[in-house]
Amino acid sequence: MKTMMKTRNKTLFIEYKKIFAVLSVIIFFAFILFFIYSRTSHIWRGIHLAIISPESGDHVDGSLLYIEGVANKAIKLTINGDNTFVEETGGFSYPLVVHSGYNNIYIEATDKFGNISKKSIQIHGSTKPPDIENLERRNLETKKRDSFINRSTF
């Protein structure tokens, strides 16, 4: 009876060792998979396109507006069908003529794998006619500055 008890305890001990070994291997591979996922997820997630300004629904005074944003991993960026430059960091700034009334702005970014990210914003433009007095004053200041520059360079 004593030898049979010893054999049974030894068998249970061996089973626990096997279970521990299998669980250790599973935990090890789960850790490896999590590590690989965390290090490569930025590659297969695609483009992150964010518009900093203007926000959709903004009211804009004036006829010129700069569309600013970030398009990480984009190699091609178009705003209303026009190609624009994307910095190495992903930032971009694009001048756009705003018309009176509602303006739809379509932004599309493409990465090197062909993944496309699209955003659309709507703004309301109100272009005011130029103030003639301020325009004349600016012209006079510009002429004075230009004449001073021309005299001092010769």
Side-chain angles (χ1 to χ4, degrees):
M1 184 78 157
K2 216 175 190 184
T3 58
M4 189 174 182
M5 190 74 137
K6 257 186 173 179
T7 310
R8 180 185 271 176
N9 285 342
K10 194 174 185 180
T11 311
L12 283 176
F13 180 71
I14 292 172
E15 290 298 318
Y16 286 127
K17 273 178 104 175
K18 287 181 183 177
I19 291 171
F20 180 74
V22 169
L23 284 176
S24 297
V25 169
I26 290 172
I27 290 172
F28 175 76
F29 281 112
F31 177 76
I32 295 292
L33 289 174
F34 176 75
F35 181 78
I36 291 171
Y37 170 80
S38 67
R39 295 296 179 179
T40 61
S41 62
H42 68 279
I43 294 172
W44 48 267
R45 276 193 193 157
I47 301 171
H48 173 71
L49 178 61
I51 309 304
I52 296 171
S53 73
E55 293 182 7
S56 193
D58 280 356
H59 293 276
V60 178
D61 292 327
S63 61
L64 187 65
L65 169 73
Y66 280 89
I67 309 295
E68 297 175 336
V70 178
N72 291 335
K73 297 185 278 180
I75 61 166
K76 181 182 176 189
L77 181 76
T78 60
I79 298 177
N80 286 349
D82 295 331
N83 289 330
T84 186
F85 176 74
V86 181
E87 296 173 1
E88 204 171 288
T89 59
F92 64 89
S93 180
Y94 181 76
L96 186 71
V97 176
V98 178
H99 304 287
S100 290
Y102 285 100
N103 293 267
N104 290 321
I105 302 168
Y106 301 102
I107 301 145
E108 185 176 297
T110 308
D111 68 1
K112 64 182 176 181
F113 300 111
N115 297 323
I116 297 173
S117 181
K118 297 179 182 181
K119 293 262 178 158
S120 173
I121 56 175
Q122 294 78 33
I123 59 169
H124 184 268
S126 59
T127 55
K128 298 177 184 174
D131 186 4
I132 299 298
E133 290 176 12
N134 286 336
L135 189 59
E136 288 175 354
R137 191 175 325 121
R138 278 192 220 148
N139 285 341
L140 284 174
E141 290 172 0
T142 305
K143 286 179 183 177
K144 286 179 185 176
R145 188 188 71 226
D146 288 346
S147 67
F148 176 76
I149 292 172
N150 288 338
R151 277 186 274 146
S152 62
T153 56
F154 293 109

